[in-house]
Amino acid sequence: MCNLAPKQGIVNKIEHIGIAVKDLQASNELFAKLFGQPHYKTESVASEGVTTSFFQVGPNKIELLEATNEDSPIAKFLAKKGEGIHHLAFAVDNIEAEIKRLQGEGFTMIHEKPKKGADNKLVAFLHPKSSNGVLVELCQEIPRP
Ligand code: ZN
């Protein structure tokens, strides 16, 4: 069914997996036990109402997300679904082009323009209703000056 030639793929690897948690400090301790190492950074993204922490697990990254206010998307997710996997983030080289391509394919974007996310990234989320219930984040590394 997939009629895209492989070289046309512009969504790269999974950049990280996001997990919604109620208590970031308790979850940092829990996941440090699971992974055998502590998180390597904590960062707040005020515009999204979240505090995040990141773990490096071999070549993979896990992001924990805690809500900082009741209007946060994470607070809403926790109220509706409870703790658990929240989103899959994919690395892209050109986020603006990718947003346009996906809109052209019929996907609904939550963010039609990229915004500054955690971990030095430009990010944009797709609406899970248009991707089989999976919340997808696109992210592009912001070039360091
Ligand atoms: Zn993320």
Side-chain angles (χ1 to χ4, degrees):
M1 290 299 288
C2 181
N3 53 16
L4 285 178
K7 66 178 180 186
Q8 286 180 296
I10 27 188
V11 170
N12 299 327
K13 62 171 187 166
I14 292 179
E15 214 286 328
H16 62 270
I17 297 169
I19 298 173
V21 303
K22 287 181 186 158
D23 179 337
L24 191 62
Q25 196 182 340
S27 295
N28 278 340
E29 289 170 20
L30 180 73
F31 281 86
K33 283 184 208 161
L34 182 68
F35 299 141
Q37 59 181 324
H39 64 285
Y40 66 90
K41 77 151 113 176
T42 301
E43 193 176 339
S44 288
V45 184
S47 63
E48 285 290 300
V50 297
T51 302
T52 66
S53 65
F54 285 89
F55 290 83
Q56 187 75 45
V57 186
N60 304 308
K61 272 174 20 189
I62 303 291
E63 174 185 35
L64 303 184
L65 304 108
E66 175 191 61
T68 55
N69 63 61
E70 287 174 12
D71 295 326
S72 159
I74 294 300
K76 290 175 185 157
F77 179 89
L78 288 170
K80 212 165 143 187
K81 299 196 172 169
E83 293 180 299
I85 293 179
H86 177 256
H87 65 269
L88 295 181
F90 293 94
V92 298
D93 294 330
N94 182 338
I95 195 166
E96 305 233 15
E98 199 55 15
I99 290 169
K100 286 201 183 82
R101 182 183 75 83
L102 292 170
Q103 286 175 320
E105 294 283 7
F107 292 97
T108 305
M109 299 300 302
I110 294 174
H111 306 112
E112 297 190 345
K113 294 259 168 235
K115 52 189 289 187
K116 176 94 171 62
D119 204 27
N120 192 48
K121 300 281 193 295
L122 287 173
V123 305
F125 282 85
L126 274 75
H127 200 290
K129 275 186 189 153
S130 68
S131 45
N132 285 173
V134 179
L135 179 59
V136 173
E137 175 184 7
L138 305 177
C139 48
Q140 179 189 335
E141 186 83 19
I142 298 171
R144 298 189 193 264

